Amino acid sequence: MDLRFDEKDYLACCGSTRFAKEMALASPFASLQDAISTARDIWFNKVDVYGWLEAFSAHPQIGGTRASAPTTETSAQWSKGEQSTALATATGSSLQELYEWNARYREKFGFIFIICASGRSTDEILAELKRRYSNRPLVEFEIAAQEQMKITELRYAKLFSSRANGSSTPDK
Amino acid sequence: MDLRFDEKDYLACCGSTRFAKEMALASPFASLQDAISTARDIWFNKVDVYGWLEAFSAHPQIGGTRASAPTTETSAQWSKGEQSTALATATGSSLQELYEWNARYREKFGFIFIICASGRSTDEILAELKRRYSNRPLVEFEIAAQEQMKITELRYAKLFSSRANGSSTPDK
C-alpha cells in the first residue's frame, strides 16, 4: 500500500494545523500502523502547546455538537458518531450534570474536557470527568493530549479503511 | 508583619492576570515565605496553561528589552536588572548567537525561552538554551513554568523588602 491523504483529511482527524501539515509532509505511509507511529511522534514530540490547544478547540464539548473553533463537516460527523453510545445512554438529568461539569472543567483548565468517547456511556464519561477534574492543570493537559491521540488513531483507521475500500468519503 | 500588595504589584512580578488576582485575594501575608508558599500553590495547581503562556509573554526575550505583551514599567526595569550579568558578559557574537537560538526556540515551542537569568553569564544562558531546546514541548513547558516561579520569587523578595524599608517604589 502507498497511502497519502490531503492536509485537510488529516485536519479532520486532529484539528492542529501544524500536525496536519507535518503528516502531509511525512506521507505516503506504507500502512495504517506506519501512519500512527509517525503521528504519535509528531503529536507528542513536535507539535507545541499551542497546537494541542488548537486541536482541543476543534471538538464540540461532550454532550454537545458545536466546536468553539471552525471545523470540517467530516470532523463534526465523526464527533457525532463517537458520542453515539453516550447519547444513547443519556438521560435528561445526566446530560444536565454533564453540562454543568463541562462548564466547571473549562473554568478550571481553560480548554474543554477531551475524552475518547467511543463506546462509553454518559455515566462513564461523567465519572471520568469528575475524577480528572482534581488533577493539576499540567497533568490534565497531558491526559487531554493522550485522549486526543486516541481519537486521532480511531479516525485514521476510518480514513485509511475508506481508502482501502475505494470510497472517496470516509465512513462515519 | 501584615503584608498586602495591589494586584498590579503582583502582576509586575508574574504577568498572569489570574495569578495576580488570586495572590491579591490570598493576602495579607505574614511573611515573604508565607507569600511564596501560597504563590507556588497557586502557580502550579491553579493557574491554567493559558495563564502560564500569558506570564511568559510578559517577558522580553533574553538579550532583549521588549516583551511581546504589554507590561508594566516595574516589570521592564526588573527584567533589565535580572539580565545585567548576562549583558555585562555579552560579546557581539554571543549576542548574535543568543538571538538566533531564541528564534529557533520560539519556532519550536511557540513561546520565548524563559530562564531565571539573575547572576548568569551570556555563555551559561546560551548553553542552557541549547540544552533545553532538545526537550519535547510539554517537558519544556513545565521547565519554563519552574523558571518563571524562580523569577517571581526573586521579585517578591524585592517587593516585600521595599515595603519593609518603608519605600513606596520597589528597588530595581
Side-chain angles (χ1 to χ4, degrees):
Chain A
M1 282 209 285
D2 186 27
L3 297 157
R4 181 195 299 273
F5 297 90
D6 292 341
E7 205 176 300
K8 73 167 176 42
D9 295 319
Y10 294 117
L11 204 58
C13 298
C14 173
S16 152
T17 318
R18 180 162 179 175
F19 182 67
K21 269 190 213 305
E22 296 265 355
M23 283 299 290
L25 281 172
S27 61
F29 300 104
S31 63
L32 171 61
Q33 200 43 57
D34 177 27
I36 288 178
S37 5
T38 303
R40 283 188 188 151
D41 177 46
I42 295 172
W43 179 248
F44 290 113
N45 299 324
K46 294 185 186 150
V47 174
D48 68 18
V49 297
Y50 286 102
W52 282 9
L53 292 167
E54 184 191 13
F56 298 168
S57 71
H59 292 279
Q61 74 177 21
I62 282 288
T65 53
R66 211 152 45 96
S68 64
T71 183
T72 65
E73 178 58 23
T74 308
S75 171
Q77 285 299 321
W78 275 341
S79 272
K80 212 171 150 184
E82 286 152 4
Q83 294 194 52
S84 59
T85 304
L87 293 173
T89 57
T91 61
S93 69
S94 65
L95 274 185
Q96 179 60 30
E97 204 181 349
L98 194 57
Y99 181 83
E100 287 162 9
W101 274 90
N102 266 320
R104 197 182 291 194
Y105 180 98
R106 188 175 193 136
E107 169 64 25
K108 176 171 178 183
F109 296 109
F111 49 82
I112 63 161
F113 178 64
I114 303 288
I115 186 166
C116 183
S118 282
R120 298 176 104 154
S121 71
T122 297
D123 283 351
E124 280 173 76
I125 291 171
L126 191 54
E128 192 64 6
L129 201 174
K130 290 178 183 174
R131 196 185 61 73
R132 281 170 47 186
Y133 179 79
S134 61
N135 287 330
R136 71 185 186 97
L138 190 74
V139 169
E140 189 52 29
F141 191 43
E142 182 160 29
I143 294 174
Q146 287 161 346
E147 291 296 310
Q148 170 64 60
M149 191 66 230
K150 290 183 201 164
I151 297 168
T152 306
E153 291 179 26
L154 289 179
R155 292 183 178 185
Y156 279 1
K158 290 176 189 166
L159 186 68
F160 281 60
S161 104
S162 74
R163 178 64 55 87
N165 297 335
S167 154
S168 63
T169 313
D171 293 341
K172 298 308 182 293
Chain B
M1 283 210 286
D2 186 28
L3 295 157
R4 181 195 299 274
F5 296 91
D6 292 341
E7 204 176 301
K8 72 167 177 40
D9 294 319
Y10 294 117
L11 204 59
C13 298
C14 173
S16 152
T17 317
R18 180 162 179 175
F19 182 67
K21 270 191 214 306
E22 296 265 356
M23 283 299 289
L25 281 172
S27 61
F29 300 104
S31 63
L32 171 62
Q33 199 43 56
D34 178 27
I36 288 179
S37 1
T38 302
R40 283 187 189 152
D41 177 46
I42 296 172
W43 179 248
F44 291 112
N45 300 323
K46 295 185 184 148
V47 173
D48 68 17
V49 296
Y50 287 102
W52 283 8
L53 292 168
E54 184 192 11
F56 298 168
S57 71
H59 292 279
Q61 74 177 20
I62 281 288
T65 53
R66 212 152 44 97
S68 64
T71 184
T72 64
E73 178 57 24
T74 308
S75 171
Q77 284 300 319
W78 276 341
S79 272
K80 213 171 149 186
E82 287 152 4
Q83 294 194 54
S84 59
T85 305
L87 293 174
T89 57
T91 61
S93 69
S94 65
L95 274 183
Q96 179 59 30
E97 203 180 351
L98 193 58
Y99 181 84
E100 287 163 10
W101 274 91
N102 265 320
R104 196 183 289 195
Y105 180 99
R106 187 175 194 137
E107 170 63 26
K108 175 170 178 183
F109 296 109
F111 49 83
I112 62 160
F113 177 65
I114 302 287
I115 186 167
C116 183
S118 282
R120 298 175 104 155
S121 71
T122 297
D123 283 351
E124 279 173 74
I125 291 171
L126 191 54
E128 191 64 8
L129 201 173
K130 289 178 184 174
R131 196 186 61 74
R132 281 170 48 185
Y133 180 79
S134 61
N135 286 331
R136 71 187 186 95
L138 190 73
V139 169
E140 189 51 29
F141 191 42
E142 183 161 29
I143 294 174
Q146 288 161 346
E147 291 295 310
Q148 170 64 60
M149 192 66 231
K150 291 183 202 165
I151 296 168
T152 306
E153 290 179 26
L154 289 181
R155 292 183 177 185
Y156 280 1
K158 289 177 191 165
L159 186 67
F160 281 59
S161 104
S162 74
R163 179 64 54 89
N165 298 335
S167 153
S168 63
T169 314
D171 293 341
K172 297 308 183 296

